[in-house]
Amino acid sequence: MRLVLLGAPGSGKGTQAARLKEHLQVPHISTGDLLRAEVAAGSKLGLEAKEVMASGNLVSDEILLGMLEDRFSRPDTRDGFILDGYPRNLAQADALDKLLTRIRQPMDYAVQLDVPTDLLVERIAGRAKAEGRADDSPESVRTRLKVYDDQTAPVIEFYRQHGQLTVVDGVGGLDDVFNRIIEALVPAKEVG
Ligand code: B4P
């Protein structure tokens, strides 16, 4: 199964992707994690990405596409994947669509986790305390939410127009949200 998780920062994409990975037995590809690994390794790409990420802005489309092409070239993605954090703007959505068409792996589902803004802020503040991630500071969070509204929200419409979008209520306990996602993945023909 090939699935992309969409949603604002703090909507639970990374959290649910980790669970879906176990359930579906396909790799979890998080562009945020890939970038953080580059930063931690001190690579040239990581050095370029570090400050942009800490500010809450988006790293360049060119870097992201190169990273993604590289990841999709690995054999573990042949039976599917869970993509988390990409695409984050319409140019990335278009590039991904072309890439998946080229490698004959069209997306099966785009799942949007829907969570109100005040709860997003609350969740990220909780993570800031627990993990101290550089981009979870209040200033960066404000930027990330604005970038989401301006650049990423239109991606939801892109998938709606392609008939691939499923909206899932992302409010509630981790198990509740997980169960809602699983229910949303049942093909319409099996529903009855
Ligand atoms: P990401 O790593 O994707 O960060 P994120 O949007 O905050 O989502 P994440 O998956 O980590 O958090 P989640 O909602 O699961 O990106 C970080 C940065 O990398 C970006 O700002 C950008 O600079 C760069 N980047 C990444 N992809 C890019 C791209 N494609 N193009 C350009 N730049 C890119 O969880 C948040 C918190 O909520 C957690 O503490 C979790 O425990 C909690 N939570 C989750 N579900 C919950 C629930 N049901 N109830 C209560 N708490 C919950």
Side-chain angles (χ1 to χ4, degrees):
M1 180 182 293
R2 292 176 293 274
L3 147 70
V4 57
L5 285 177
L6 306 169
S11 59
K13 302 181 300 289
T15 307
Q16 293 299 335
R19 296 173 151 233
L20 287 165
K21 171 188 166 172
E22 298 304 319
H23 184 81
L24 300 171
Q25 291 292 305
V26 291
H28 167 204
I29 302 176
S30 156
T31 49
D33 286 350
L34 291 173
L35 286 167
R36 281 185 286 275
E38 294 286 346
V39 172
S43 68
K44 183 169 170 283
L45 192 159
L47 290 176
E48 274 180 65
K50 189 175 178 180
E51 284 193 13
V52 181
M53 290 175 76
S55 74
N57 286 298
L58 297 182
V59 176
S60 87
D61 290 348
E62 200 188 344
I63 287 182
L64 264 293
L65 186 61
M67 231 172 55
L68 209 61
E69 281 180 326
D70 187 48
R71 184 64 187 85
F72 279 130
S73 71
R74 283 166 48 185
D76 65 339
T77 59
R78 261 196 302 247
D79 294 330
F81 52 80
I82 300 152
L83 187 55
D84 151 25
Y86 192 100
R88 264 179 151 92
N89 59 33
L90 284 176
Q92 292 186 4
D94 204 43
L96 176 65
D97 204 42
K98 290 198 170 84
L99 170 62
L100 295 182
T101 302
R102 196 172 76 229
I103 61 175
R104 295 196 179 84
Q105 296 226 27
M107 197 65 84
D108 296 311
Y109 295 97
V111 176
Q112 181 205 351
L113 294 177
D114 191 26
V115 175
T117 307
D118 52 349
L119 192 52
L120 298 172
V121 172
E122 195 181 300
R123 284 183 185 176
I124 296 174
R127 184 169 65 186
K129 268 196 196 145
E131 296 177 22
R133 218 170 87 173
D135 60 347
D136 281 343
S137 67
E139 197 191 333
S140 174
V141 170
R142 270 195 298 277
T143 304
R144 284 160 65 198
L145 290 172
K146 182 164 183 345
V147 167
Y148 179 79
D149 281 344
D150 293 348
Q151 300 189 47
T152 312
V155 170
I156 310 257
E157 209 40 51
F158 176 94
Y159 285 106
R160 196 191 307 276
Q161 281 171 12
H162 283 68
Q164 292 163 318
L165 183 72
T166 304
V167 181
V168 168
D169 180 4
V171 181
L174 301 186
D175 289 342
D176 296 328
V177 177
F178 177 74
N179 289 331
R180 282 180 212 139
I181 297 174
I182 296 300
E183 277 169 28
L185 301 183
V186 176
K189 59 179 182 308
E190 287 180 24
V191 174

